[in-house]
């Protein structure tokens, strides 16, 4: 089966599908949105597997029918697309599935609702053009494969569609192996070291809440303050980056809670961010990974768990029961008091080890890229692709 994949977050799935010699797999990445996290991956330089180019430039978006990426996608039996992929796949006359990553379903098709997230002027015009094409492309997809958490489910319904399946996010379990040699050693001294790589988004804005961007980072800071008041020496590592809109507010809150000495801000040293290997070291150097408290989860939770670390977040229990009837390992907290309780509980190294080992085993069962690739093949076969 000839399978095309488009988008910056499709690399692991493409690698997993390529493991099957009966699949002819190509991954198409736009050079302007290529994540730095991929640059250290050897397979990214295999031109017979990955093709990097100016696929989603302005001309291509304005005239998708004649775009080079559209012509290339037409050569495949099926396309799995994300980000701006639906714009081009719609005109390729190849059947395709849309696998949203977040923005591409919750914000991109809705330029008025997402207006607060961009600058006025030309940005508004560009967003309107993209939205028109994204809405058309998503509606024309054979299916939308996304987890049925509220942000995705609501956005799909606004487009007159339903989520047709859930494709778990694939993880390279070897990269996040907790046994790999750690560069730089343990993060900090103290009773417990916490790594929280999420963007700072604490403002309870309706748009952010509905699109799943509300991280509620303040719960972590308040919970750590309570744990410290109880005598726990808890340390936090945070990522400093321009894409955190509430970063200044987070610094102020940390100072008000008298946590400045407990917090370390880590800078990648480049606007492109960290590589996956660098992030894996940050996960492994911690005792606890804190995801977000907005009701769903993403790569932070999975990568932290893959490294054999306990993960704290808040997810919708009904959706999780639907997706994972055998249970899930994420520790849950809905307020600062519950955050503090988890921190106190995990001061015990044996408890951390127990939860961390169970977490990695769970990711292996459900999110290992080979497991996800075989699930993808099964789903496609069930729909007549072979």
């Amino acid at each position: 089966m000839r399978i095309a994949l488009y988008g910056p977050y499709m690399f692991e799935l493409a690698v997993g599908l390529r493991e099957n010699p009966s699949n002819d797999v190509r991954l198409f990445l736009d050079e302007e949105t290529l994540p730095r996290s991929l640059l250290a991956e050897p397979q990214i330089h295999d031109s017979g597997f990955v093709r990097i180019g100016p696929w989603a430039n302005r001309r291509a978006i304005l005239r998708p029918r004649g775009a080079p990426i559209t012509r290339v996608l037409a050569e495949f039996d099926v396309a799995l697309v994300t980000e701006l992929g639906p714009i081009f796949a719609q005109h390729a006359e190849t059947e395709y599935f849309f696998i949203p990553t977040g923005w591409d379903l919750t914000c991109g098709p809705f330029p008025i609702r997402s207006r607060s997230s961009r600058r006025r002027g030309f940005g508004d015009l560009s967003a309107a053009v993209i939205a028109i094409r994204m809405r058309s492309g998503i509606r024309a997809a054979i299916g939308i494969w996304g987890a049925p958490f509220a942000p995705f489910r609501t956005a799909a319904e606004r487009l007159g569609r339903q989520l047709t399946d859930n494709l778990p996010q694939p993880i390279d379990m070897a990269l996040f192996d907790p046994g790999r040699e750690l560069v730089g050693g343990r993060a900090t001294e103290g009773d417990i070291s916490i790594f929280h790589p999420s963007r700072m988004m604490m403002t309870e804005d309706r748009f952010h809440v509905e699109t799943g961007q509300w991280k509620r980072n303040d719960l972590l800071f308040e919970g750590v303050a309570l744990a410290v008041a109880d005598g726990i020496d808890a340390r936090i590592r945070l990522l400093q980056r321009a894409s955190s809109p509430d970063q200044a507010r987070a610094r102020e809150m940390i100072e008000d809670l008298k946590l400045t000495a407990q917090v370390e801000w880590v800078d990648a040293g480049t606007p492109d961010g960290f590589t996956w290997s660098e992030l894996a070291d940050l996960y492994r150097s911690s005792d606890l990974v804190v995801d977000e408290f907005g009701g769903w989860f993403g790569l932070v939770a999975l990568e932290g768990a893959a490294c054999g670390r306990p993960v704290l977040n808040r997810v919708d229990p009904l959706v999780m029961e639907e997706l994972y009837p055998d249970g899930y390992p994420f520790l849950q907290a809905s307020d600062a008091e519950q955050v503090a309780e988890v921190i106190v509980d995990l001061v015990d190294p044996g408890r951390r080890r127990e939860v961390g080992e169970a977490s990695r085993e769970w990711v292996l069962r459900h999110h290992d890229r080979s497991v996800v690739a075989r699930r993808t093949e099964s789903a496609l076969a069930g729909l007549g692709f072979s």
Side-chain angles (χ1 to χ4, degrees), residues 125-140:
L125 176 60
S126 176
V129 173
I130 290 173
I132 291 170
R133 283 158 174 69
M134 284 290 287
R135 291 166 79 97
S136 177
I138 293 171
R139 286 169 173 156

Side-chain angles (χ1 to χ4, degrees), residues 132-208:
I132 291 170
R133 283 158 174 69
M134 284 290 287
R135 291 166 79 97
S136 177
I138 293 171
R139 286 169 173 156
I142 295 177
I144 303 175
W145 291 353
F149 290 103
F152 278 179
R153 188 179 64 248
T154 301
E157 290 172 354
R158 285 197 174 106
L159 293 172
R161 293 295 307 268
Q162 299 290 323
L163 300 174
T164 55
D165 200 352
N166 169 55
L167 187 70
Q169 290 179 292
I171 299 293
D172 178 358
M173 297 301 291
L175 175 63
F176 294 97
D177 185 345
R180 291 183 65 162
E181 183 178 355
L182 180 63
V183 178
R186 191 170 181 270
T188 61
E189 300 299 324
D191 295 322
I192 184 169
S193 169
I194 300 167
F195 182 41
H196 180 51
S198 300
R199 290 182 298 159
M200 296 296 120
M201 299 190 73
M202 299 179 287
T203 303
E204 192 176 354
D205 174 271
R206 179 180 176 183
F207 171 70
H208 289 158

Side-chain angles (χ1 to χ4, degrees), residues 237-257:
R237 257 187 172 177
L238 305 172
L239 297 187
Q240 180 172 291
R241 50 188 176 184
S243 60
S244 285
D246 285 340
Q247 190 162 278
R249 181 183 167 192
R251 290 181 179 275
E252 292 174 2
M253 186 175 189
I254 288 167
E255 184 176 353
D256 291 343
L257 291 169

Side-chain angles (χ1 to χ4, degrees), residues 80-364:
L80 308 176
V81 300
T82 190
E83 297 285 320
L84 299 179
I87 293 176
F88 311 111
Q90 179 184 12
H91 297 284
E93 297 184 359
T94 293
E95 294 184 298
Y96 65 97
F97 296 85
F98 175 47
I99 306 175
T101 61
W103 170 92
D104 46 5
L105 178 58
T106 63
C107 301
F110 309 104
I112 296 177
R113 294 177 58 79
S114 61
R115 197 170 187 227
S116 62
S117 65
R118 63 177 180 273
R119 294 182 178 180
R120 301 293 186 265
F122 180 77
D124 284 335
L125 176 60
S126 176
V129 173
I130 290 173
I132 291 170
R133 283 158 174 69
M134 284 290 287
R135 291 166 79 97
S136 177
I138 293 171
R139 286 169 173 156
I142 295 177
I144 303 175
W145 291 353
F149 290 103
F152 278 179
R153 188 179 64 248
T154 301
E157 290 172 354
R158 285 197 174 106
L159 293 172
R161 293 295 307 268
Q162 299 290 323
L163 300 174
T164 55
D165 200 352
N166 169 55
L167 187 70
Q169 290 179 292
I171 299 293
D172 178 358
M173 297 301 291
L175 175 63
F176 294 97
D177 185 345
R180 291 183 65 162
E181 183 178 355
L182 180 63
V183 178
R186 191 170 181 270
T188 61
E189 300 299 324
D191 295 322
I192 184 169
S193 169
I194 300 167
F195 182 41
H196 180 51
S198 300
R199 290 182 298 159
M200 296 296 120
M201 299 190 73
M202 299 179 287
T203 303
E204 192 176 354
D205 174 271
R206 179 180 176 183
F207 171 70
H208 289 158
V209 173
E210 291 184 352
T211 56
Q213 299 182 72
W214 186 38
K215 311 294 185 184
R216 303 184 70 192
N217 319 82
D218 49 311
L219 293 189
L220 171 62
F221 305 141
E222 292 171 351
V224 170
L226 292 175
V228 170
D230 283 342
I232 303 298
D233 187 3
R235 309 295 179 95
I236 314 173
R237 257 187 172 177
L238 305 172
L239 297 187
Q240 180 172 291
R241 50 188 176 184
S243 60
S244 285
D246 285 340
Q247 190 162 278
R249 181 183 167 192
R251 290 181 179 275
E252 292 174 2
M253 186 175 189
I254 288 167
E255 184 176 353
D256 291 343
L257 291 169
K258 297 181 171 53
L259 292 177
T260 303
Q262 314 295 127
V263 175
E264 176 189 5
W265 290 88
V266 183
D267 192 332
T270 167
D272 296 327
F274 294 92
T275 65
W276 262 329
S277 294
E278 291 168 341
L279 281 173
D281 275 331
L282 288 168
Y283 286 118
R284 281 190 290 263
S285 69
S286 66
D287 300 314
L288 167 66
V289 173
V290 176
D291 181 23
E292 57 187 80
F293 302 96
W296 62 347
F297 73 95
L299 284 176
V300 169
L302 295 174
E303 292 169 351
C307 283
R309 298 300 184 263
V311 172
L312 171 63
N313 59 16
R314 186 186 74 82
V315 293
D316 184 325
L318 297 179
V319 174
M320 292 298 286
E321 183 178 355
E322 175 185 344
L323 297 178
Y324 307 100
D326 60 341
Y328 53 94
F330 304 143
L331 303 170
Q332 298 296 285
S334 298
D335 55 41
E337 289 74 17
Q338 292 177 354
V339 171
E341 290 172 4
V342 169
I343 293 172
V344 171
D345 180 48
L346 292 178
V347 167
D348 178 5
R351 174 64 175 153
R352 293 200 299 264
R353 189 178 309 110
E354 174 191 358
V355 177
E357 290 175 354
S359 298
R360 179 170 171 82
E361 180 59 33
W362 180 85
V363 179
L364 275 167

